[in-house]
Amino acid sequence: MEKKYPAIAGKEKGPGPGRYGLPPTIGFVGHDFTKPTSPAYSFHGRISNNMLSLDSSPGPLYHVDAKITRFGKDGTPAYSMLSRMKAQIEELFSTPGPGTYSPEKAPLCNLQRKPPSYTMGRRTRYRTVDPVPAPNKYSLPPLLGSHIPNKRASASYTMPGTFSTGGPSEDLAKTPGPCRYNSTDPSVYRPRQPAFSMLGRHDVPKDKTKKPGPGTYNPENVTAHKTRAPAYSMGVRHSEYVTPLVVGFSD
């Protein structure tokens, strides 16, 4: 026989939101009476062709001119564009332009003065009797140096060559130069400062024995010193409605 358990009130759950059916708010039939209803309209069927043929009223088929208004014909002026006139008609109205006239060729009146006029002729040749030099025949004296006849000149100097024998650069005494002397160590004639030397780096003393890393150990080989490896079991699921054990505690 099937064992019966007492009913648990926590297991009894009510229906979800999808179990309830609320009246719609769209349309007219079955509308939610707690919400306002908008007016509803219906679509009529298409009228048959027979009824259209019986209708003798004209539709929007009339062509009304744009110049016709409710007060009559529009009175604004209208213009049209004609074609170009032919060449024969243009010859009848060939009025000369300003460049056609030549007022400088008109005869002079008694009271009118004529301005001077000039002509452009060719270049005349030079005569052999005219010994006039051109501007490029003259040459001005230079302004550098002391040989200027009409200008004041500064003192001029010449740089002769170097003489190896008997010249000022010849060292007859054979005196040594500054670079021939050696510098004396300051520790010879002054108190000597402390001197230091730099040795090599010393290694820090440490334990040089080799230590095993984490990968050296094999925890799965626990059977070497134990009977078997640790095992875990899956227990039953406890009911969420079981009353937890409350142990007394002190205030």
Side-chain angles (χ1 to χ4, degrees):
M1 297 178 61
E2 185 180 358
K3 185 178 181 180
K4 295 183 178 180
Y5 296 95
I8 301 175
K11 291 184 177 181
E12 299 295 334
K13 299 180 180 179
R19 296 296 299 273
Y20 299 95
L22 299 177
T25 57
I26 301 176
F28 184 78
V29 179
H31 192 276
D32 190 0
F33 62 91
T34 59
K35 303 292 181 181
T37 306
S38 300
Y41 303 93
S42 60
F43 288 90
H44 199 274
R46 186 184 297 273
I47 304 175
S48 62
N49 297 331
N50 296 331
M51 298 181 64
L52 294 175
S53 60
L54 297 176
D55 190 5
S56 60
S57 60
L61 301 177
Y62 298 99
H63 174 67
V64 181
D65 193 0
K67 298 180 180 179
I68 304 299
T69 62
R70 62 190 184 94
F71 300 103
K73 188 176 181 181
D74 188 11
T76 55
Y79 304 93
S80 61
M81 298 182 66
L82 301 178
S83 60
R84 188 183 298 273
M85 295 185 298
K86 296 182 180 180
Q88 298 178 0
I89 302 177
E90 292 180 359
E91 293 178 358
L92 299 177
F93 303 98
S94 56
T95 305
T100 309
Y101 301 97
S102 300
E104 67 277 359
K105 297 181 181 180
L108 299 177
C109 299
N110 295 331
L111 301 178
Q112 186 177 3
R113 298 181 60 185
K114 183 178 181 181
S117 57
Y118 305 94
T119 58
M120 301 284 292
R122 61 182 181 178
R123 186 183 299 273
T124 58
R125 296 182 179 180
Y126 293 103
R127 296 180 297 178
T128 58
V129 295
D130 297 334
V132 180
N136 57 354
K137 290 293 184 178
Y138 298 96
S139 59
L140 298 177
L143 299 180
L144 298 177
S146 59
H147 302 284
I148 303 174
N150 57 345
K151 298 293 182 180
R152 296 183 59 184
S154 301
S156 58
Y157 305 94
T158 58
M159 300 181 67
T162 302
F163 297 97
S164 60
T165 304
S169 61
E170 185 179 1
D171 189 9
L172 301 177
K174 303 297 180 179
T175 304
C179 296
R180 295 298 299 272
Y181 299 96
N182 296 328
S183 59
T184 307
D185 190 4
S187 301
V188 176
Y189 56 91
R190 295 181 63 87
R192 183 176 181 179
Q193 300 295 329
F196 304 93
S197 60
M198 298 181 66
L199 300 178
R201 185 185 298 274
H202 298 282
D203 295 336
V204 180
K206 57 183 179 179
D207 188 9
K208 296 184 178 180
T209 58
K210 296 183 179 180
K211 278 81 175 177
T216 309
Y217 301 96
N218 297 322
E220 64 275 4
N221 298 335
V222 71
T223 55
H225 62 285
K226 290 188 177 182
T227 56
R228 59 184 179 85
Y232 304 93
S233 60
M234 302 286 291
V236 297
R237 183 184 297 275
H238 298 280
S239 177
E240 59 182 356
Y241 305 104
V242 175
T243 303
L245 178 61
V246 179
V247 182
F249 57 91
S250 60
D251 295 335

